């Protein structure tokens, strides 16, 4: 069974803001910005998808993102840096399950913007959206145990480490251990 968002049935990707960021739906006009970061091999080192080799790959991503939203499986947000009016990454809230009120988040960011707290800022905003709009009770995230910046961002966003699953995923030719994090609605702080 695929997931579905709460009974509000969101009709378009909402626009969310933070001090430095606008989180909004992806647009076909974003394809060059997306390709700029998605074509860098180090960006996808720990991700389940391969780096984009051409704009066709980026266009396929945009199509898939729209399809996943239409089926109410994912909400993919473009991460736009206000100061540059440029898409520098993406963050998703996915695998929504109405019955359990649980969602999963994932993200990617251009290496030009690593180590600036940008993805932590985006994670915090999407968590708040998940609790306030989707009525989630629990939001999870996970990453390769070797992806230290990713799990540090989860921790800085207020998520708590729950454990590591050994050989959880076969990815890019090898089994990897996955670190799991979560936050409950009651744990959300200002």
């Amino acid at each position: 069974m695929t997931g579905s968002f709460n009974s509000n049935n969101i009709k378009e990707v909402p626009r969310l803001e933070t001090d430095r960021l606008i989180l909004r739906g992806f647009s076909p006009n974003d394809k060059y910005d997306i390709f700029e970061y998605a074509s860098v091999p180090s960006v996808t080192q720990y991700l389940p998808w391969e780096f984009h080799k051409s704009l066709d790959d980026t266009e396929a991503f945009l199509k898939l993102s729209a399809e996943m939203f239409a089926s109410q499986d994912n909400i993919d947000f473009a991460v736009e840096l206000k100061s540059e009016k440029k898409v520098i990454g993406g963050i998703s809230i996915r695998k929504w399950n109405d019955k359990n009120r649980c969602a999963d988040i994932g993200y990617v960011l251009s290496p030009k913007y690593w180590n600036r707290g940008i993805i932590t800022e985006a994670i915090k905003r999407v968590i708040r959206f998940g609790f306030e709009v989707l009525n989630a009770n629990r939001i999870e995230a996970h990453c390769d145990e070797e992806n230290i910046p990713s799990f540090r961002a989860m921790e800085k966003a207020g998520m708590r480490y729950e454990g590591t699953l050994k050989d959880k995923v076969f990815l890019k030719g090898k089994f990897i251990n996955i670190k799991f994090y979560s936050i409950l609605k009651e744990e959300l702080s200002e």
Side-chain angles (χ1 to χ4, degrees):
M1 178 182 143
T2 59
S4 62
F5 298 107
N6 69 0
S7 59
N8 292 336
N9 278 336
I10 298 168
K11 303 293 184 220
E12 63 184 38
V13 176
R15 179 184 169 101
L16 310 176
E17 289 195 42
T18 69
D19 289 342
R20 297 182 289 175
L21 307 173
I22 295 171
L23 307 179
R24 58 165 175 80
F26 283 103
S27 154
N29 295 333
D30 297 327
K31 72 180 176 183
Y32 297 105
D33 288 350
I34 297 166
F35 184 75
E36 185 178 319
Y37 67 79
S39 64
V40 178
S42 62
V43 168
T44 63
Q45 177 182 357
Y46 298 110
L47 300 178
W49 48 278
E50 295 294 334
F51 67 93
H52 293 190
K53 294 169 183 65
S54 72
L55 282 173
D56 289 344
D57 294 334
T58 304
E59 289 169 352
F61 158 74
L62 288 168
K63 182 178 185 232
L64 179 63
S65 176
E67 289 169 358
M68 295 295 283
F69 180 75
S71 66
Q72 300 282 284
D73 285 329
N74 282 13
I75 301 177
D76 294 330
F77 295 95
V79 176
E80 181 182 318
L81 190 61
K82 288 179 182 178
S83 63
E84 296 183 22
K85 295 184 171 64
K86 177 182 182 76
V87 173
I88 61 169
I91 186 165
S92 304
I93 189 160
R94 56 193 183 208
K95 300 177 187 169
W96 178 252
N97 184 316
D98 230 356
K99 178 183 170 192
N100 295 320
R101 294 174 50 207
C102 181
D104 176 79
I105 59 173
Y107 40 85
V108 63
L109 187 68
S110 169
K112 294 177 183 178
Y113 303 92
W114 289 355
N115 301 312
R116 297 187 193 179
I118 289 172
I119 209 64
T120 299
E121 192 173 317
I123 293 169
K124 286 179 177 180
R125 184 63 186 94
V126 170
I127 286 171
R128 187 165 296 284
F129 167 79
F131 290 141
E132 293 175 354
V133 177
L134 298 179
N135 195 29
N137 181 60
R138 174 185 170 90
I139 296 177
E140 305 168 337
H142 61 274
C143 68
D144 184 319
E145 73 175 351
E146 295 179 7
N147 191 349
I148 295 167
S150 183
F151 68 74
R152 292 279 187 251
M154 294 176 210
E155 292 167 353
K156 290 175 185 173
M159 301 183 89
R160 294 188 183 174
Y161 174 68
E162 292 192 333
T164 299
L165 300 181
K166 302 294 184 187
D167 287 354
K168 169 69 172 151
V169 175
F170 188 77
L171 184 64
K172 299 180 181 173
K174 65 179 184 173
F175 284 101
I176 59 170
N177 300 332
I178 300 292
K179 291 185 83 155
F180 275 82
Y181 285 78
S182 75
I183 187 169
L184 300 177
K185 190 172 190 174
E186 66 188 29
E187 297 169 338
L188 186 66
S189 61
E190 291 300 318

